Amino acid sequence: MNYINEVYENLKNKYANEVEFLQAVKEVLESIEPIIAENEELYRKNKILERITTPDRIISFRVPWVNDKGEVEVNMGYRVQWNNAIGPYKGGLRLHPSVNQSILKFLAFEQTFKNSLTSLPMGGGKGGSDFDPKGKSDREVMAFCQSFMTELYKYIGPNRDVPAGDIGVGAREIGYLYGQYKKIVGNYEGVLTGKGLTYGGSLVRTEATGYGLLYITNELLKNHNIDIKGKTIVISGAGNVAIYACEKAMELGAKVVSVSDSNGYIYDPEGIDLALLKEIKEVKRARLTEYKKMRPQSSYHEGKGVFKLKCDIALPCATQNELDLEDAKALVKNGCLAVCEGANMPTTLEATKYLQKHKVLFIPGKAANAGGVATSGLEMSQNSLRLSWSFKEVDARLKEIMINIYNNMAEVAKKYNLGDDFVAAANICGFLKVVEAMLAQGIV
Ligand code: NDP
């Protein structure tokens, strides 16, 4: 059996029920075949694949808190510290009822390569809880965040592990988490990113993932002689990534006709009203059914189906495995030119292969959504320097990072005759840097 299959089969036997984790590992391992072929002896000797598919540690803990009725509730909390070969662990915290160890392992594994792609010195990690912030009062969210941090603080630090936001964790949650960390540890330090602007946050962090997604999408299109201006874009999700992807897409002259949440999607043929979307999601924290009430020319559709809409470009920005084979077939049939992933692993393996086979340009999340963590890296730099850069300066650095990621992938694709296979190119770029650092640091 070849080395890749050996490692994958072993993981499959050990973690048979961790489907998301196995899916992420399979995608990475399959696509780095040319690199393994070149270095098999060295990698085998140093057990590189075994080590890179095993987290440094997984911390799991009980999170008790008291709800507004005075009742005690208990959730599970996790932090997966995957790999710190190139820098302190870095990756978001997700608060969603679906959170489990498999999902956090897939996210932390992916994060390791994503962070490497940004060219900033950050290792990979991810954490979160099965707590659902939806429908909770501010006091309940604060009680949860304080209890979560009371355990987590032991394992993080500005040079050790720097968490950030993800699904269900925005400025409000980061504020409560930071307040509790500071109260316990007593140090005013950059232990979290995504902080508010008055206490160490960076301009552009809120917009970064969505903006970065559009910077790299635009670069991809430009390099294939396609103008984004006038193109119709379908976006899924209606959270942080989706909203700012929408904003930048519109700025670049494209028309965004949809957004979605876990209940359904909006189709607005005249183009999404961004101010209204922000009011509903960022201010009122309400559902998308509100959008239809305020914009009668739009329609609201229960359930899945957003990728069945006709579009030139699709940007999945909600969650993992939201774009399946049926969606991919509909996109191809409707003449979609490009799919770039704002979310982490939103496209199933079969759907990715189908899109690539049918020549739809495809950039995977670990490259396309790296703008968020890259800007978190810039927040860490500003915290260390005790400086705040202007919006223009951070935005320019973000754009440069995204264009560099594209160029690095294009270079690797050329070197290994990968054509437009940016999945393989992203994995190879991210993998090589981490492995070089691991080899240099010995068996640890
Ligand atoms: P938010 O919590 O702000 O928004 C998530 C959006 O996706 C919401 O509209 C939510 O709908 C929807 N969603 C969540 N779970 C599901 C589900 N199971 N089925 C359908 N829709 C769902 O999260 P973000 O925008 O921050 O994150 C979105 C994605 O982008 C995630 O995959 C995240 O890991 C990834 N990402 C985020 C980064 C960031 O900087 N924020 C950086 C890099 C990647 P509802 O409100 O109904 O739950």
Side-chain angles (χ1 to χ4, degrees):
M1 213 189 297
N2 76 26
Y3 185 28
I4 288 177
N5 287 346
E6 248 172 60
V7 171
Y8 183 71
E9 286 305 314
N10 190 23
L11 288 172
K12 225 167 93 177
N13 290 336
K14 258 190 184 159
Y15 306 112
N17 54 356
E18 296 190 350
V19 285
E20 295 86 0
F21 170 58
L22 291 171
Q23 179 184 342
V25 169
K26 190 165 195 242
E27 185 221 90
V28 170
L29 293 188
E30 274 181 358
S31 66
I32 55 171
E33 253 185 71
I35 298 296
I36 305 298
E38 270 178 4
N39 304 286
E40 178 153 351
E41 206 187 318
L42 178 68
Y43 290 176
R44 268 189 187 273
K45 191 170 145 225
N46 287 280
K47 292 267 190 291
I48 284 295
L49 293 187
E50 291 84 341
R51 284 163 63 204
I52 212 163
T53 54
T54 306
D56 288 356
R57 67 193 63 78
I58 300 178
I59 299 139
S60 56
F61 48 93
R62 182 179 65 229
V63 189
W65 57 281
V66 179
N67 68 22
D68 284 347
K69 290 183 236 150
E71 299 158 349
V72 177
E73 299 215 24
V74 181
N75 288 101
M76 273 309 290
Y78 305 89
R79 186 70 184 165
V80 180
Q81 296 179 331
W82 200 271
N83 185 299
N84 65 355
I86 63 169
Y89 305 107
K90 179 92 198 87
L93 296 171
R94 177 175 291 192
L95 298 183
H96 194 272
S98 64
V99 163
N100 59 37
Q101 198 160 292
S102 167
I103 288 180
L104 294 178
K105 277 177 72 180
F106 117 64
L107 288 164
F109 176 73
E110 287 273 301
Q111 191 83 42
T112 301
F113 303 108
K114 180 190 308 191
N115 293 0
S116 163
L117 276 170
T118 65
S119 72
L120 300 175
M122 300 180 289
K126 200 85 188 187
S129 169
D130 56 0
F131 171 81
D132 187 359
K134 232 178 281 164
K136 303 285 191 303
S137 69
D138 284 353
R139 195 213 59 81
E140 287 176 321
V141 171
M142 180 174 75
F144 169 83
C145 288
Q146 290 179 340
S147 179
F148 184 84
M149 185 53 87
T150 301
E151 189 64 28
L152 185 70
Y153 90 93
K154 299 169 192 163
Y155 311 101
I156 61 176
N159 294 311
R160 187 172 179 190
D161 183 354
V162 183
D166 190 70
I167 291 179
V169 178
R172 173 181 61 171
E173 291 74 19
I174 293 289
Y176 294 146
L177 291 164
Y178 188 66
Q180 185 71 356
Y181 176 87
K182 190 162 58 69
K183 184 177 169 97
I184 299 172
V185 176
N187 290 340
Y188 205 99
E189 55 193 10
V191 70
L192 291 163
T193 57
K195 298 186 290 300
L197 294 176
T198 51
Y199 61 95
S202 172
L203 287 160
V204 195
R205 178 60 191 91
T206 306
E207 296 85 353
T209 309
Y211 278 21
L213 172 64
L214 266 296
Y215 290 144
I216 202 166
T217 302
N218 198 24
E219 198 58 25
L220 168 78
L221 296 176
K222 274 202 310 207
N223 277 275
H224 290 79
N225 300 315
I226 303 169
D227 192 350
I228 195 167
K229 225 180 236 161
K231 294 289 179 295
T232 298
I233 301 189
V234 154
I235 290 183
S236 65
N240 173 261
V241 180
I243 288 172
Y244 292 94
C246 217
E247 182 164 291
K248 187 53 78 178
M250 289 173 183
E251 257 179 64
L252 293 171
K255 181 161 82 167
V256 179
V257 294
S258 73
V259 284
S260 69
D261 61 21
S262 47
N263 298 109
Y265 68 93
I266 286 288
Y267 175 56
D268 192 337
E270 289 171 25
I272 291 291
D273 179 336
L274 188 62
L276 176 59
L277 178 66
K278 284 187 178 179
E279 172 72 17
I280 293 169
K281 285 295 171 186
E282 294 187 330
V283 183
K284 295 185 182 157
R285 294 178 189 274
R287 308 305 297 163
L288 279 179
T289 38
E290 294 300 306
Y291 184 96
K292 159 82 188 135
K293 288 184 199 157
M294 309 293 285
R295 283 266 290 184
Q297 66 267 54
S298 68
S299 49
Y300 177 77
H301 306 262
E302 279 287 330
K304 282 191 65 170
V306 68
F307 298 111
K308 306 281 182 347
L309 295 170
K310 189 167 168 46
C311 65
D312 301 307
I313 299 158
L315 305 174
C317 297
T319 193
Q320 64 273 359
N321 292 329
E322 52 166 318
L323 195 167
D324 61 17
L325 185 57
E326 290 311 306
D327 293 320
K329 286 183 179 168
L331 287 169
V332 169
K333 199 166 151 231
N334 284 327
C336 177
L337 303 168
V339 173
C340 300
E341 296 186 323
N344 285 310
M345 206 170 74
T347 316
T348 63
L349 276 175
E350 298 93 324
T352 305
K353 286 189 175 145
Y354 187 87
L355 292 169
Q356 288 185 314
K357 193 172 148 209
H358 290 82
K359 304 282 176 228
V360 177
L361 296 168
F362 182 89
I363 302 196
K366 64 171 72 68
N369 69 34
V373 73
T375 308
S376 279
L378 301 177
E379 183 173 331
M380 289 163 75
S381 305
Q382 292 170 80
N383 290 164
S384 302
L385 294 167
R386 301 198 186 284
L387 283 176
S388 293
W389 297 331
S390 69
F391 191 98
K392 207 168 146 196
E393 196 171 350
V394 182
D395 192 33
R397 284 177 196 258
L398 166 65
K399 192 169 178 183
E400 190 187 328
I401 289 171
M402 298 312 294
I403 292 176
N404 270 343
I405 294 176
Y406 180 81
N407 289 337
N408 291 341
M409 289 194 304
E411 206 173 291
V412 162
K414 197 165 163 207
K415 181 169 174 197
Y416 291 98
N417 283 325
L418 300 171
D420 278 334
D421 185 353
F422 295 107
V423 173
N427 287 334
I428 290 173
C429 280
F431 178 85
L432 281 176
K433 181 174 168 190
V434 176
V435 168
E436 203 179 315
M438 285 171 72
L439 287 168
Q441 292 167 23
I443 309 298
V444 287

